[in-house]
């Protein structure tokens, strides 16, 4: 844990060392520890779809997770076997994670909106034994269960549907007398599948120590978390590493209450209302959520919210969103960076660090970050290269599930290569340029899409934008912008020219988009990242269609 009263980055570094015990269990740490110390301490505020509220103490989470652990053992779940958790943000989701960890099983978070093909791939690949879900998930599983020979049981929180067991009825009959497994810190705890931006999703297998490895980055991104009266919420689903290990589990490690709510449809207005109504002090808001909230007029006068920290990661924000955040929240949004395989390794911390325009922060305390070439050699300050993390590192994955070759390919020597391009200045600030395959090579220039997107986003007509490179016989590639417009604007040639001039005058002549396409929405992963390869395919189709006209 970092100091909560430091006044500089150097002060945080002073005397820091990892304290990773030989024996460590996430479930005991985030639940049983607090249930023993302060049984009635508030753990969870669940806001249902109808707006009703139910509070849970750590003692209640312990009792329910103990009952679930006993139930899973009665279903012959052994340490190291996989438990699928196919649920949205809900008490049962958190309880399932805690129970899985306490019995030494491996949790498999599954996004509630996955289709049957996505579920079948992950469940077959992981050999999942039991799935905990609801009626919606059970209906999907019924379509593929015959193709999942390893699956023994489905526990349904909505009651007994065909082929499932009533979860709450079974918990009522189950014993709360559970002796947790004394796991080692290096024992496997969770498999989180990558979002599949580059090929088939791969299962990143993490050890129990992954939670401890997250703490410095979480604490920095929330301005020396925790502070008195902190209370945290994120719209990011707990099925993803951002919701689970950037919010839920680190908060419970520190005994901080978490607000849980799944929006049927996320809107900026609803997000501001939630921030006000539940006294939320800390929030992880992904860039897509921030962009949607940015379209709301005068939020600071329509709602009374008192955020102490806002963190964001997944894509670079750019100065437009950062400036909006200062005006709206009265604070600087702290950007952080990481991947499913090795998360929260770079962070900003406005409480102790100057915000550098375009930079995502510095190495989170305890992590060694470098910008390296393809041979794993550090490149000079200010040069583009691969963002890399040195092993060993407690937040780093154990490897890809059943894929040793892909695991080996992720490393050059002791450097884990993220596949993302960045540059570092002489003071250690890191600028995110883009994924290796996102960087545009045009007329000898290497162009990152983030800066252009930020520039175009400043135009009043633009709601969202993605920038890619498209093949060009003269320049190798040209810059192409795909734009979603705000209401009241028309995507015509005049607006295209206006946006092109906007980039030329405010950014650089060689970076302006030579082609612009207007669309209703952008293809996104379930974690809110733009799927650029889909856009490349679409642009290729649009070009082909225009040539035949």
């Amino acid at each position: 844990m970092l100091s909560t009263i430091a006044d500089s980055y150097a002060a945080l570094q002073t005397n820091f060392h990892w304290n990773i015990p030989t024996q460590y269990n996430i479930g005991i740490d985030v639940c049983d520890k607090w249930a023993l110390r302060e049984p009635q301490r508030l753990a969870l505020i669940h806001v249902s779809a109808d707006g009703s509220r139910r509070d849970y103490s750590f003692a209640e989470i312990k009792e329910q997770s103990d009952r679930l652990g006993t139930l899973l053992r009665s279903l012959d779940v052994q340490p190291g076997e996989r438990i699928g958790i196919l649920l949205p943000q809900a008490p049962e989701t958190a309880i399932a994670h805690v129970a899985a960890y306490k019995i030494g099983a491996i949790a498999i978070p599954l996004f509630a909106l996955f289709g049957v093909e996505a579920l079948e791939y992950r469940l077959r690949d992981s050999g999942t034994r039991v799935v905990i879900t609801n009626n919606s998930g059970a209906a999907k599983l019924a379509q593929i269960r015959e193709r999942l020979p390893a699956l023994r049981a489905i526990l349904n929180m909505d009651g007994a549907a065909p082929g499932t067991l009533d979860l709450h009825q079974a918990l009522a009959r189950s014993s709360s007398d559970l002796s947790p497994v004394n796991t080692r810190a290096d024992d496997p705890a969770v498999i989180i599948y990558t979002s599949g931006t580059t090929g088939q999703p791969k299962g990143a297998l993490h050890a129990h120590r992954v939670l401890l490895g997250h703490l410095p980055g979480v604490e920095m991104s929330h301005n020396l978390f925790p502070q008195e009266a902190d209370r945290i919420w994120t719209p990011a689903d707990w099925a993803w590493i951002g919701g689970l290990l950037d919010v839920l589990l680190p908060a419970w490690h520190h005994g901080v209450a978490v607000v849980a709510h799944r929006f049927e449809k996320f809107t900026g207005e609803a997000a501001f209302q939630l921030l006000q109504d539940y006294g939320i002090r800390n929030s992880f808001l992904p860039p897509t959520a921030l962009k949607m909230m940015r379209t709301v007029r005068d939020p600071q006068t329509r709602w009374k919210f008192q955020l102490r920290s806002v963190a964001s990661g997944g894509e670079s924000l750019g100065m437009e969103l950062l400036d909006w955040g200062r005006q709206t929240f009265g604070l600087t949004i702290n950007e952080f960076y990481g991947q499913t395989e090795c998360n929260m390794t770079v962070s900003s911390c406005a409480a102790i660090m100057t915000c550098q325009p375009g930079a995502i922060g510095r190495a989170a305390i305890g992590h060694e970050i470098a910008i390296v070439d393809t041979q794993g050699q550090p490149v000079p300050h200010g040069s583009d290269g691969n963002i890399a993390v040195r092993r060993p590192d407690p937040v780093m994955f154990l490897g890809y599930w059943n894929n040793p070759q892909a695991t080996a390919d992720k490393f050059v020597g002791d450097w884990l290569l993220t596949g993302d391009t960045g540059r570092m200045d002489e003071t250690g600030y890191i600028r995110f340029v883009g994924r290796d395959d996102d960087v545009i090579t045009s007329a000898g220039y290497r162009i990152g899409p983030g800066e252009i997107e930020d520039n175009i986003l400043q135009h009043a007509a633009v709601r969202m934008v993605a920038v890619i490179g498209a093949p060009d016989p003269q320049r190798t590639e040209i810059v192409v912008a795909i734009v979603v417009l705000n209401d009241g604007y028309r995507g015509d040639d005049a607006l295209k020219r206006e946006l092109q001039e906007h980039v030329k005058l405010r950014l650089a002549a060689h970076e302006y988009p030579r082609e612009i396409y207007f669309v209703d929405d952008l293809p996104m992963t379930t974690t809110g990242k733009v799927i650029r390869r889909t856009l490349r395919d679409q642009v290729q189709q649009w070009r082909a269609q225009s040539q035949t006209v």
Side-chain angles (χ1 to χ4, degrees), residues 234-291:
T234 181
D237 199 278
W238 296 345
W240 305 108
I241 200 164
L244 182 67
L245 279 157
D246 296 357
V247 176
L248 175 65
L249 297 180
W252 280 7
H253 166 86
H254 285 302
V256 172
V258 176
V259 176
H261 178 64
R262 177 181 178 268
F263 290 108
E264 291 297 324
K265 179 177 176 59
F266 181 91
T267 66
E269 288 85 354
F272 283 116
Q273 191 70 44
L274 193 78
L275 293 174
Q276 170 189 280
D277 291 350
Y278 294 94
I280 293 162
R281 298 269 288 160
N282 323 89
S283 187
F284 160 41
L285 295 170
T288 302
L290 288 170
K291 290 171 184 175

Side-chain angles (χ1 to χ4, degrees), residues 411-431:
F411 293 88
V412 173
D414 283 334
W415 292 109
L416 178 146
L417 303 182
T418 63
D420 291 332
T421 299
R423 68 179 72 105
M424 182 188 295
D425 68 17
E426 61 278 359
T427 62
Y429 281 88
I430 297 168
R431 181 185 296 268

Side-chain angles (χ1 to χ4, degrees), residues 177-334:
D177 184 15
L178 179 75
S179 297
V181 173
N182 188 25
T183 53
R184 296 175 303 148
D186 284 328
D187 283 344
V190 59
I191 298 174
I192 302 179
Y193 279 82
T194 62
S195 54
T197 55
T198 55
Q200 278 282 22
K202 296 184 286 289
L205 176 65
H206 282 283
H208 284 265
R209 58 172 162 75
V210 69
L211 173 55
L212 299 178
H214 269 79
L215 296 180
V218 172
E219 291 161 6
M220 287 178 65
S221 67
H222 287 290
N223 289 336
L224 306 181
F225 183 82
Q227 304 285 332
E228 186 177 356
D230 276 357
R231 177 177 292 178
I232 196 166
W233 164 75
T234 181
D237 199 278
W238 296 345
W240 305 108
I241 200 164
L244 182 67
L245 279 157
D246 296 357
V247 176
L248 175 65
L249 297 180
W252 280 7
H253 166 86
H254 285 302
V256 172
V258 176
V259 176
H261 178 64
R262 177 181 178 268
F263 290 108
E264 291 297 324
K265 179 177 176 59
F266 181 91
T267 66
E269 288 85 354
F272 283 116
Q273 191 70 44
L274 193 78
L275 293 174
Q276 170 189 280
D277 291 350
Y278 294 94
I280 293 162
R281 298 269 288 160
N282 323 89
S283 187
F284 160 41
L285 295 170
T288 302
L290 288 170
K291 290 171 184 175
M292 294 176 73
M293 294 171 75
R294 174 178 168 268
T295 65
V296 178
R297 293 187 177 183
D298 304 320
Q300 59 269 51
T301 61
R302 295 168 61 188
W303 292 277
K304 297 184 184 300
F305 45 84
Q306 294 183 319
L307 284 164
R308 188 184 69 79
S309 65
V310 175
S312 189
E315 289 186 2
S316 185
L317 293 184
M319 289 309 299
E320 175 71 12
L321 273 176
L322 289 172
D323 287 343
W324 171 84
R326 293 187 186 99
Q327 295 168 9
T328 303
F329 302 124
L331 52 78
T332 297
I333 300 171
N334 288 322

Side-chain angles (χ1 to χ4, degrees), residues 129-151:
R129 298 296 194 186
V130 175
V131 176
I132 302 166
T133 189
N134 53 17
N135 277 341
S136 174
K140 295 174 186 176
L141 294 172
Q143 301 176 54
I144 56 176
R145 189 164 186 177
E146 291 183 356
R147 301 197 293 274
L148 300 171
L151 184 59

